[in-house]
Amino acid sequence: MRRIGILTSGGDAPGMNACIRAAVRTALANGLEIVGIRRGYAGLLEGDTVPLDRTAIRNTIHLGGTILETSRSPEFMTREGRARAAEVIRQAGLDGLILIGGEGTFHGASLLAAEWGTTLVGVPGSIDNDVYGTDSCIGFDTAANCALSAIDRIRDTARSHDRLFFVEVMGHHTGFLALESGIAGGAEELVIPEEPLSSAELSDRLKEGFKIGKKSAIVVVAEGKKPGKSFRIADEVRKFLNYESRVVVLGHLQRGGPPTVRDRVLGSVLGVAAVTALQDGRSGCMAGEVKGEIAYTPFDDTWQKKKPLDADVMRIFSLLSE
Ligand SMILES: Nc1ncnc2c1ncn2[C@@H]1O[C@H](COP(=O)(O)OP(=O)(O)OP(=O)(O)O)[C@@H](O)[C@H]1O
Ligand SMILES: O=P(O)(O)OC[C@H]1O[C@](O)(CO)[C@@H](O)[C@@H]1O
């Protein structure tokens, strides 16, 4: 291992820069050359590389987003696209590549490794937190704190006007952000893909709360396939429940901003682990953190296995939100 590359892919996530910085410093300390690939798989296909040295990563640990930029690349999803990627990696003289991204990124990586035998190590970075093989993904904690701060503010106005609020948080097809911010923000109800709930049931539950004296309520909704789902739910609930309501969609606000302590530390730890993994001869796996220890999970498991919500936290949410 003499020369390695690093890229960020999928949605940007606060803490990705801490991870890039850690990987660069670890590589240089171990006598490796390290090259950044800009704009994720799209940039890889174009050979859009940038040499990384100490100066390139200086003063970046506190920045949200990703200094390498990122993308969603339809071309990489084709066999021809991945053949081109393998050729670029070969021409750039990269002995290994670190990929920071989510489950889609690792799905693509598993195909690239299987088709071309490319040496790849992943690091989980996604505010969705839906990657199997790590307790937390880089960016999740910052996004959850952002959603929480919005919920706290909404509670002030909800309480002042005796209103029902639907707060929509991100999460393609998972309720991690909704559950975490919902429990911390004292939400009354959750609408998440893992626990389907009809609008009639949701209305009945809210009615119970109003019967025991609640005058305002917050329902945290996981966005699902595309943003805006909470408007439909609010309209349906209005048919069952005559209560003044409002909808707030938090959207991409949750993806930006300076990373929390947790995400900077996680990014740093996993950046070091990824370089060490390559030097130890590992490939085709993701370096994650499970119960405080570094764990390596084969790429296929990271996206084929479903990471469940914590059942205890779910139970506690139900208990505390009554
Ligand atoms: N099934 C697939 N086959 C090949 N490549 C894929 C596949 N799914 C995703 N990719 C590649 O990985 C890139 C990133 O995936 P995706 O857009 O799903 O984000 P992600 O890594 O899951 O991150 P996030 O959780 O932030 O959305 C895609 O743009 C595509 O190039
Ligand atoms: O920024 P885009 O491409 O619209 O993607 C939005 C999606 O990305 C995520 O933020 C994950 O990065 C999802 O929660 C959300 O559904």
Side-chain angles (χ1 to χ4, degrees):
M1 202 55 52
R2 286 195 335 270
R3 183 172 153 88
I4 62 174
I6 184 164
L7 61 76
T8 48
S9 165
D12 57 297
M16 281 181 164
N17 292 326
C19 187
I20 296 166
R21 170 182 176 270
V24 171
R25 292 229 158 121
T26 309
L28 297 179
N30 286 284
L32 297 178
E33 235 185 291
I34 181 159
V35 170
I37 288 125
R38 276 194 286 251
R39 297 180 294 110
Y41 288 146
L44 176 64
L45 291 172
E46 293 168 22
D48 187 358
T49 60
V50 54
L52 292 174
D53 58 12
R54 290 190 166 272
T55 317
I57 44 95
R58 194 165 289 150
N59 298 322
T60 58
I61 195 164
H62 62 301
L63 300 176
T66 157
I67 55 166
L68 288 176
E69 302 182 36
T70 185
S71 64
R72 304 195 193 274
S73 163
E75 203 187 337
F76 188 83
M77 295 177 82
T78 66
R79 215 182 158 88
E80 299 72 40
R82 291 189 297 276
R84 166 91 193 117
E87 180 55 18
V88 171
I89 291 169
R90 201 188 57 73
Q91 279 180 6
L94 300 179
D95 303 315
L97 181 59
I98 296 170
L99 315 156
I100 312 171
E103 52 162 8
T105 298
F106 301 142
H107 190 159
S110 61
L111 297 174
L112 181 64
E115 290 160 2
W116 297 97
T118 318
T119 301
L120 304 169
V121 166
V123 175
S126 167
I127 67 158
D128 286 356
N129 202 33
D130 56 349
V131 179
Y132 181 90
T134 191
D135 290 341
S136 219
C137 291
I138 297 167
F140 171 63
D141 187 63
T142 309
N145 274 288
C146 175
L148 173 63
S149 116
I151 291 168
D152 286 348
R153 283 154 196 262
I154 287 162
R155 186 171 291 288
D156 288 343
T157 179
R159 197 189 57 163
S160 303
H161 281 268
D162 292 347
R163 279 175 177 162
L164 165 60
F165 268 83
F166 295 85
V167 183
E168 185 173 306
V169 299
M170 275 188 163
H172 270 320
H173 30 240
T174 52
F176 285 98
L177 269 178
L179 176 59
E180 193 90 349
S181 59
I183 196 165
E188 273 61 34
E189 297 296 339
L190 291 181
V191 180
I192 53 176
E194 289 86 347
E195 301 253 314
L197 179 68
S198 73
S199 297
E201 286 169 313
L202 173 60
S203 309
D204 284 345
R205 289 200 199 171
L206 289 166
K207 273 183 205 159
E208 288 304 313
F210 293 134
K211 262 193 218 150
I212 61 167
K214 287 192 180 187
K215 292 192 169 159
S216 63
I218 294 179
V219 179
V220 179
V221 180
E223 74 177 7
K225 282 197 175 60
K226 53 179 184 200
K229 177 180 173 182
S230 48
F231 286 102
R232 182 179 54 74
I233 295 175
D235 282 345
E236 284 174 14
V237 165
R238 276 183 205 115
K239 291 181 199 152
F240 299 101
L241 179 64
N242 183 20
Y243 214 85
E244 192 176 8
S245 65
R246 295 286 187 275
V247 175
V248 178
V249 179
L250 298 183
H252 288 78
L253 269 180
Q254 296 156 97
R255 282 240 296 261
T260 56
V261 171
R262 171 83 188 121
D263 280 329
R264 294 183 200 197
V265 173
L266 184 64
S268 301
V269 166
L270 296 183
V272 175
V275 175
T276 310
L278 282 175
Q279 287 202 296
D280 289 348
R282 290 184 194 268
S283 181
C285 63
M286 178 194 81
E289 195 182 66
V290 177
K291 296 188 172 40
E293 302 284 333
I294 300 294
Y296 298 96
T297 304
F299 279 141
D300 279 342
D301 287 355
T302 63
W303 58 272
Q304 279 175 0
K305 293 191 177 170
K306 173 104 181 124
K307 177 167 156 185
L309 291 176
D310 187 319
D312 280 342
V313 180
M314 282 294 290
R315 194 179 44 76
I316 289 166
F317 178 85
S318 305
L319 181 73
L320 300 184
S321 60
E322 274 172 10

